[in-house]
Amino acid sequence: MALIVTDSQARLATRLAFIAAGFGVACWAPLVPYAKARCQVDDGTMGLILLLLAVGSILAMPLAANLSARFGSKPIVLSGGLGLAIVLPLLSEAASPILLGAALFVFGASLGSLDVAMNLHAVDVERTSEKPLMSGFHALFSIGAFLGSGFMTALLSRRVSLGISTILSSIILVLLLLFAFPRMLSNREETSQPLFAIPRGVVLVIALVGAISFLVEGALLDWGALLLVGERLLSQERGGLGYMFFSIAMTFSRLIGDRIVARFGNRTILTISGVTGFGGLCLLLLSPVAPFALASFILIGLGAANIVPILFRLAGTQQAMPKGLAVAALTTAGYSGMLAGPAVIGFLSKGSGLHNAFWFLAALFVCPSLLSKYVTSETST
């Protein structure tokens, strides 16, 4: 006889899944310099190898959505998380570009599968709870990432070997998943769906707004410090402070985001988020001194924080497409935007300068506000 999962258990399981996803992917970040040295490749080749992680994620997402519809997101969350745990130690040992690339491809596919499945589970848990929960779930991904990178860095700083460090990290990841698994909903859908479908209607607009949000985040990650240093607002040693303030503000805003959405609604918060992010970027580009520039990163983080959680909620409640395909489309668009962001800014910067390229980001951030009425009116929220 199947065990009955309570609402509180399902919420806990979803939170653990988001923590696990953030923890697992962040454990890889401190390993990158070691992997590059071990494989003896230059920056260009390493960049191509790292791209395979994103390729694996993007290719796996439609399949994960289809399998989640057929079998429920529960087994896909488990298999994706276990994939991360199994491959992580391999990433610490791969000694050739081919082996490292293959491991990163599988690592990315596991991450993409976990990402889609846990967001689908989050949509169903939120619907069952009948109150906003998505922002809090996404905040826990950020917290998990902080814990993962911190744990791995602490082990490596104490000269624990790469192999032991990754194995210990994998054990924590597996324990999180095993604790979450029996508490997850069995949300298998009765209807079948195609493996892949081109986003249409409101899903296409949701995916577009998601791509913009991730594009801005990716651009800030790779170019934010360069802008601050290039504008002589901060020294090179302190250039990373901007993104740190952005991350802190985003996490804080997501922790309180569900209560704000419950009070004011998706449309209002989506509109305010776009205006806040746009204002933050304008402040950054007009800042005469460092304190204003750092404050601008806080504003951008506050604005960007709840856009993606709201979009996942809307993707899960719209009627234009099966929710699995809609969530997969949003996730794929987000990853694509994250990848495209640094490249787009680099291209624009080459032609008109980095300062002007960031004005393009500011213009893009108006879109969530402009499109908020359409995406919320076309979804059953």
Side-chain angles (χ1 to χ4, degrees):
M1 184 177 65
L3 294 176
I4 297 176
V5 176
T6 65
D7 184 55
S8 60
Q9 287 177 324
R11 290 199 302 269
L12 174 60
T14 310
R15 293 184 179 111
L16 292 174
F18 274 81
I19 291 173
F23 184 92
V25 70
C27 284
W28 155 242
L31 301 180
V32 175
Y34 296 94
K36 182 177 181 293
R38 193 167 55 248
C39 294
Q40 298 181 338
V41 294
D42 57 23
D43 290 343
T45 303
M46 191 64 191
L48 292 175
I49 294 173
L50 291 173
L51 187 62
L52 288 171
L53 190 155
V55 172
S57 294
I58 291 173
L59 292 179
M61 286 172 184
L63 178 61
N66 187 274
L67 293 175
S68 295
R70 295 172 184 271
F71 305 106
S73 54
K74 184 175 179 178
I76 311 306
V77 167
L78 181 63
S79 59
L82 289 178
L84 291 179
I86 292 170
V87 177
L88 185 60
L90 300 179
L91 293 173
S92 70
E93 301 295 335
S96 73
I98 294 177
L99 290 177
L100 179 61
L104 279 174
F105 181 86
V106 178
F107 192 77
S110 300
L111 175 63
S113 300
L114 175 58
D115 200 323
V116 168
M118 72 184 187
N119 274 291
L120 281 170
H121 190 266
V123 167
D124 288 330
V125 170
E126 186 179 67
R127 182 179 298 168
T128 302
S129 299
E130 297 182 342
K131 61 181 179 180
L133 297 170
M134 195 66 73
S135 292
F137 291 149
H138 281 256
L140 289 171
F141 179 92
S142 300
I143 293 173
F146 173 78
L147 294 174
S149 59
F151 181 72
M152 182 65 72
T153 300
L155 291 175
L156 295 177
S157 65
R158 293 181 176 273
R159 302 189 182 280
V160 178
S161 69
L162 291 177
I164 297 298
S165 297
T166 51
I167 289 173
L168 290 175
S169 299
S170 293
I171 290 173
I172 292 175
L173 185 53
V174 170
L175 290 175
L176 288 170
L177 292 166
L178 292 180
F179 192 80
F181 184 75
R183 294 165 176 80
M184 295 185 71
L185 300 175
S186 298
N187 56 346
R188 179 179 178 180
E189 298 179 20
E190 296 299 327
T191 57
S192 61
Q193 61 186 39
L195 179 60
F196 176 79
I198 297 175
R200 61 180 183 270
V202 68
V203 177
L204 181 61
V205 180
I206 289 172
L208 173 64
V209 177
I212 289 171
S213 182
F214 278 100
L215 187 152
V216 172
E217 186 175 347
L220 284 175
L221 174 62
D222 285 6
W223 292 98
L226 291 174
L227 179 69
L228 291 171
V229 174
E231 297 288 318
R232 298 183 179 180
L233 294 168
L234 289 176
S235 65
Q236 187 171 359
E237 292 78 14
R238 296 181 178 180
L241 285 175
Y243 193 79
M244 184 187 77
F245 277 99
F246 170 82
S247 300
I248 292 172
M250 176 175 276
T251 303
F252 169 77
S253 186
R254 283 181 171 174
L255 286 173
I256 65 172
D258 293 322
R259 282 172 283 175
I260 296 174
V261 171
R263 181 172 180 179
F264 298 104
N266 292 320
R267 178 181 172 183
T268 299
I269 300 306
L270 201 55
T271 301
I272 293 174
S273 295
V275 172
T276 304
F278 172 75
L281 283 163
C282 290
L283 177 61
L284 170 62
L285 294 167
L286 299 173
S287 292
V289 292
F292 285 103
L294 293 176
S296 72
F297 276 87
I298 294 175
L299 278 178
I300 300 169
L302 293 175
N306 292 299
I307 293 177
V308 170
I310 289 174
L311 293 176
F312 272 107
R313 178 179 301 118
L314 299 178
T317 56
Q318 52 73 42
Q319 304 298 321
M321 295 176 64
K323 67 176 181 181
L325 292 178
V327 169
L330 173 56
T331 311
T332 303
Y335 273 63
S336 301
M338 182 75 79
L339 288 174
V344 169
I345 294 303
F347 176 78
L348 294 175
S349 177
K350 186 176 181 180
S352 60
L354 185 58
H355 191 274
N356 289 330
F358 263 71
W359 278 115
F360 172 71
L361 290 182
L364 284 180
F365 226 118
V366 178
C367 291
S369 297
L370 294 178
L371 298 171
S372 61
K373 181 179 180 179
Y374 174 72
V375 297
T376 54
S377 64
E378 292 293 322
T379 55
S380 55
T381 57

